[in-house]
Amino acid sequence: MLVLVTGGAGYIGSVAVAELITSGYDVAVLDNLSLGHRQAVHPQAKIFELDLADKAQLSETLSKLRPEAILHFASRSQVGQSMQQPFLYLHHNVSEGLNLLEAAVTAGVHRFILSSTANLYDQPQKIPIDETEALIPGSPYGEAKHYLERALFWLNKTHGLKFAVLRYFNAAGATTTLGEDHRPETHLIPLVLQVALGQRSKITIFGDQYPTRDGTCVRDYIHVTDLAQAHILALQALDTRTEPGLFYNLGNGSGYTVREVIDTATRITGHSIAQEIGPARAGDVAALVASSEKIRHELGWQPRYPDLESIVATAWDWHRRHPRGYGE
Ligand code: UFG
């Protein structure tokens, strides 16, 4: 089966590509390489350097390739940036996603998996958060993902497109060869590890007055390999389950504060990590912890790295061995 992966040169997409190939799928990667790294793409995947804004080239590529499924990772993905530059998300993330969907249904693609986000749960009534929680986007980033989820709902009705929506909590960790290298980096774990490596002088904690156990934000960190595995299970489930669309939250069910992440990294790296308190970041939700009972129960998903220690340890291993990331 040929699977097309958009954003297959990015952090999560590249790991999904590797896992798909290991599981026996043929993979084509579609990436404009603006945020991703060519070196992260598995050598057995065919890469198409293409921008989702380019409708004509996109349609031509899809009708030529005729993939049997699309996994859509390509996206700007920063909550904070979306509060500063909302149109990058409300306009570009949405229109590029719609270009892809239009090209997909025109080319007769029947299976689609969307990378969605925990940022849809801005005001959770219950922690851990399950899929019945009200969808209230917490930022333009979340709003754009919500719109694409709705587009899938309608394309299922109009074109019979089978789809799965995977709402990630905080992706983290690395494989032995693939890790997190954003330019600039904004995510907590890689930034903390850069302090441990001496590449940064300190980590700024964005706010310590949240209603949490130590005043800093609580997040549920999930290993990137476990996320990738969930995509493979969801892809298989599109052919066996009868619901019009599948919706799953993906996290480990344990929340850690920013301070706890820093303490864990201090223990694992053996380096002290200088920290300061800064202002809260616009768009941040106090606590996001997933219930992933639904995907465990329905698809048999089982994380290999269910605890923060092992997630940070894999990330540290990668950062130590790739101190300049992918090195461009
Ligand atoms: N944080 C800091 N200092 C930093 C960076 C982050 O204190 O320098 C804090 C943030 O305020 C937040 C936590 O660390 O509380 C995690 O922040 P990240 O930037 O690593 O991740 P986010 O929770 O903002 O967002 C990530 C993904 C989103 C996804 C979201 C879902 O980037 O795409 O998880 O929970 F939507």
Side-chain angles (χ1 to χ4, degrees):
M1 181 195 270
L2 176 66
V3 179
L4 179 77
V5 179
T6 75
Y11 170 46
I12 306 173
S14 62
V15 176
V17 168
E19 293 289 321
L20 283 163
I21 288 173
T22 305
S23 304
Y25 291 92
D26 294 322
V27 178
V29 164
L30 206 152
D31 202 302
N32 66 4
L33 298 177
S34 66
L35 300 169
H37 309 273
R38 190 183 286 279
Q39 306 92 300
V41 178
H42 193 286
Q44 279 174 41
K46 192 161 167 37
I47 176 160
F48 295 84
E49 198 174 332
L50 192 159
D51 199 309
L52 293 178
D54 186 344
K55 262 184 106 166
Q57 217 196 337
L58 183 59
S59 300
E60 196 189 314
T61 309
L62 258 69
S63 20
K64 229 184 268 161
L65 284 175
R66 295 200 161 273
E68 287 175 73
I70 295 180
L71 271 55
H72 180 37
F73 293 92
S75 170
R76 295 155 200 84
S77 62
Q78 294 172 30
V79 172
Q81 182 189 47
S82 82
M83 297 296 286
Q84 310 292 330
Q85 297 172 267
F87 291 107
L88 271 185
Y89 292 79
L90 296 174
H91 175 55
H92 293 281
N93 268 10
V94 169
S95 63
E96 289 159 20
L98 290 179
N99 286 349
L100 177 66
L101 283 168
E102 190 172 353
V105 293
T106 307
V109 177
H110 289 302
R111 303 175 187 86
F112 197 97
I113 299 185
L114 174 70
S115 304
S116 189
T117 174
N119 192 257
L120 294 194
Y121 301 119
D122 190 52
Q123 288 156 38
Q125 299 301 305
K126 195 166 94 257
I127 299 266
I129 301 167
D130 68 25
E131 293 80 357
T132 63
E133 189 62 63
L135 297 179
I136 303 173
S139 67
Y141 164 65
E143 190 71 46
K145 291 288 189 187
H146 187 222
Y147 185 81
L148 292 178
E149 289 194 7
R150 296 299 302 161
L152 285 169
F153 169 85
W154 288 111
L155 291 173
N156 171 263
K157 292 209 181 304
T158 57
H159 290 74
L161 183 66
K162 293 179 176 177
F163 71 93
V165 162
L166 301 182
R167 297 188 186 127
Y168 311 163
F169 284 60
N170 286 58
T175 71
T176 48
T177 53
L178 301 168
E180 194 165 5
D181 181 3
H182 298 108
R183 315 274 171 113
E185 190 53 77
T186 62
H187 293 100
L188 180 64
I189 290 177
L191 285 175
V192 165
L193 296 179
Q194 287 174 4
V195 179
L197 278 172
Q199 296 174 339
R200 236 170 239 278
S201 59
K202 57 178 181 293
I203 182 81
T204 303
I205 297 175
F206 295 149
D208 66 349
Q209 299 299 315
Y210 286 96
T212 60
R213 52 187 172 265
D214 65 18
T216 67
C217 284
V218 169
R219 291 289 180 273
D220 183 346
Y221 296 87
I222 171 168
H223 196 277
V224 65
T225 306
D226 291 328
L227 266 184
Q229 278 303 323
H231 287 76
I232 294 176
L233 293 172
L235 183 57
Q236 292 161 351
L238 290 181
D239 291 334
T240 53
R241 296 196 65 90
T242 54
E243 298 95 321
L246 304 173
F247 295 85
Y248 296 113
N249 288 350
L250 279 165
N252 279 307
S254 317
Y256 297 92
T257 67
V258 175
R259 283 202 170 97
E260 287 164 354
V261 170
I262 298 171
D263 290 347
T264 303
T266 304
R267 264 196 320 279
I268 283 170
T269 64
H271 294 281
S272 64
I273 293 168
Q275 47 189 280
E276 65 174 8
I277 305 296
R281 185 173 65 177
D284 272 347
V285 181
L288 288 171
V289 181
S291 162
S292 292
E293 280 315 303
K294 186 166 178 253
I295 192 165
R296 284 175 190 265
H297 176 70
E298 292 185 359
L299 308 191
W301 178 71
Q302 268 195 321
R304 278 175 54 202
Y305 302 91
D307 58 292
L308 184 65
E309 302 267 331
S310 62
I311 293 172
V312 172
T314 63
W316 175 235
D317 196 42
W318 191 81
H319 281 272
R320 236 182 348 175
R321 287 193 291 117
H322 304 86
R324 289 172 47 248
Y326 289 103
E328 301 100 334

